[in-house]
């Protein structure tokens, strides 16, 4: 197994608690939910941050978990990993340049963090949509689903490119990350409809970057939003 070390940021207490709630929400969505995709309407809403913390959170429970970076346009991982530590990524595999074992890295715990696996995106692809729509990608997700307890997939924003709706067709469910106070509900509906029309089961919505000092995002309001979000996924 190849080794890789991701930088670990200590999460604020409130966020760490909400990630645990998210993990519980996903777990209680059903025992058939093993591949979960994270997307958002626009860039920068926090899907990579939330999805990687979700993988970490499942690993903390002792689950065999893997994170797949499917943002083949702008990978988050390249900012978090030491330069040169990745030889091959998803784009190498999907273009037939290496085997699946060559792109699965073990996040090196070094006793200071939990253990989980990672598939990095690899070099930016000129035809990401075609690669993700390939049978090779679908078969890879199926194989990983049979080998892991939880497969978490990070994707690009759905309002601008279709990659996430293609990926959602081969996952058990999807989670939409919404940056609080920064997104028009009509755009969120558009993204939800896109996901629904690709046959995805929407597990819920994460309201991210909530400024709890603002009155309109007081604790109860936030709690309600969160519950409501889960409700409408169903
Ligand atoms: N809950 C949060 N509180 C504060 N900062 C956050 C939170 N979630 C994410 N961020 C910050 O917001 C920025 C964007 O986060 P991230 O890269 O996860 O977003 P993204 O949706 O994956 O973006 P992109 O669409 O570019 O892939 C980062 O600097 C991250 O540290
Ligand atoms: Mg991202």
């Amino acid at each position: 197994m190849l080794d890789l070390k991701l930088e670990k940021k200590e999460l604020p207490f409130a966020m760490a608690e909400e990630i645990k709630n998210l993990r519980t929400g996903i777990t209680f969505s059903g025992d058939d939910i093993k591949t979960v995709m994270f997307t958002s309407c626009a860039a920068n809403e926090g899907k990579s941050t939330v999805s990687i913390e979700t993988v970490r959170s499942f690993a903390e429970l002792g689950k065999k978990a893997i994170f797949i970076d499917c943002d083949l346009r702008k990978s988050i991982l390249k900012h978090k990993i030491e330069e040169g530590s990745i030889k091959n990524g998803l784009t190498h595999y999907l273009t037939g340049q290496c085997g699946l074992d060559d792109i699965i890295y073990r996040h090196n715990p070094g006793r200071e963090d939990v253990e989980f696996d990672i598939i990095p995106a690899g070099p930016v692809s000129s035809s990401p949509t075609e690669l993700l729509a390939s049978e090779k990608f679908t078969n890879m997700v199926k194989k990983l689903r049979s080998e892991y307890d939880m497969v978490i997939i990070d994707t690009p924003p759905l309002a601008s490119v279709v990659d996430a709706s293609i990926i959602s067709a081969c996952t058990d469910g999807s989670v939409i990350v919404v940056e609080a106070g920064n997104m028009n509900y009509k755009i969120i509906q558009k993204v939800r409809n896109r996901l629904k029309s690709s046959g995805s089961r929407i597990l819920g919505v994460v309201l991210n970057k909530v400024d709890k000092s603002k009155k309109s995002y007081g604790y109860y309001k936030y709690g309600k939003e969160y519950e409501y979000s889960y409700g409408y996924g169903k």
Side-chain angles (χ1 to χ4, degrees), residues 4-129:
L4 180 106
K5 199 167 162 63
L6 279 186
E7 66 182 42
K8 184 177 190 295
K9 267 196 215 161
E10 224 32 74
L11 290 185
F13 177 76
M15 187 173 175
E17 285 304 298
E18 293 303 347
I19 293 286
K20 282 186 201 155
N21 286 337
L22 175 61
R23 179 185 67 196
T24 307
I26 293 172
T27 306
F28 279 88
S29 296
D31 59 2
D32 55 336
I33 304 292
K34 291 180 77 185
T35 51
V36 179
M37 180 199 85
F38 283 70
T39 192
S40 65
C41 302
N44 226 33
E45 295 195 75
K47 40 191 182 309
S48 298
T49 306
V50 174
S51 55
I52 204 131
E53 292 307 330
T54 305
V55 172
R56 204 189 293 281
S57 182
F58 274 103
E60 274 165 7
L61 276 191
K63 302 282 181 198
K64 189 178 177 202
I66 186 165
F67 173 86
I68 314 178
D69 186 357
C70 283
D71 192 345
L72 305 185
R73 300 162 193 268
K74 191 178 91 183
S75 159
I76 181 196
L77 289 180
K78 67 175 181 246
H79 304 295
K80 296 195 172 250
I81 302 171
E82 273 174 42
E83 195 82 29
S85 58
I86 290 178
K87 192 161 168 257
N88 293 301
L90 186 55
T91 47
H92 288 112
Y93 172 68
L94 294 177
T95 51
Q97 299 181 61
C98 64
L100 185 55
D101 286 348
D102 300 322
I103 60 166
I104 301 181
Y105 293 76
R106 171 72 41 90
H107 167 51
N108 177 4
R111 289 179 196 279
E112 68 207 40
D113 199 1
V114 288
E115 213 170 88
F116 57 91
D117 290 350
I118 295 174
I119 295 185
V124 172
S125 162
S126 56
S127 51
T129 310

